[in-house]
Amino acid sequence: QVQLVESGGGLVQAGGSLRLSCVASGSGLDINTMGWYRQAPGNQRALVAAFTVGGRAIYADSVKGRFTISRDNAKNTVYLQMNSLKPEDTAVYYCYADRVINKVLNGYWGQGTQVTVSS
């Protein structure tokens, strides 16, 4: 099993910054991909940023140029630096990770962290 614990959410004014962290723990992690999703009230959960299997960072168009995903493999941690925040960035942000076990892709979610951007 993989446990994901997010931190770093909060309330910030428009134009401000926040940094989210997600620590993965568990036996034999062997993470395949890892990234961030968000879900605003009334909306579906959507990709914000993630690392592909090949290690390339991908971003939703709405956050390109403002958000940066990074990781520390030694700490099994992925970060999301969010700059120039807008009210429409308000959502619960979820960390996601997956790994392949016996040729089956297993996905895991964190509990989510609230990000609120005031205008």
Side-chain angles (χ1 to χ4, degrees):
Q1 188 73 337
V2 175
Q3 292 82 41
L4 303 173
V5 178
E6 305 107 330
S7 61
L11 173 64
V12 64
Q13 288 189 332
S17 299
L18 284 173
R19 189 193 194 205
L20 305 183
S21 300
C22 173
V23 180
S25 63
S27 61
L29 285 180
D30 197 18
I31 297 295
N32 192 47
T33 66
M34 202 165 179
W36 293 94
Y37 287 69
R38 67 186 180 187
Q39 187 169 19
N43 291 348
Q44 290 187 333
R45 196 171 297 188
L47 174 72
V48 177
F51 286 107
T52 67
V53 172
R56 182 171 62 95
I58 57 174
Y59 297 91
D61 287 343
S62 59
V63 306
K64 284 180 180 177
R66 300 188 298 122
F67 291 12
T68 303
I69 189 171
S70 61
R71 62 188 174 186
D72 184 334
N73 290 333
K75 297 181 179 180
N76 294 315
T77 301
V78 65
Y79 305 96
L80 186 66
Q81 178 66 44
M82 305 185 294
N83 298 330
S84 302
L85 282 161
K86 305 175 181 179
E88 51 263 44
D89 294 317
T90 295
V92 178
Y93 284 69
Y94 295 91
C95 181
Y96 171 82
D98 61 43
R99 61 179 180 175
V100 176
I101 302 174
N102 296 327
K103 300 182 181 180
V104 176
L105 187 66
N106 293 262
Y108 306 91
W109 294 96
Q111 81 284 356
T113 185
Q114 177 71 46
V115 171
T116 303
V117 184
S118 63
S119 57

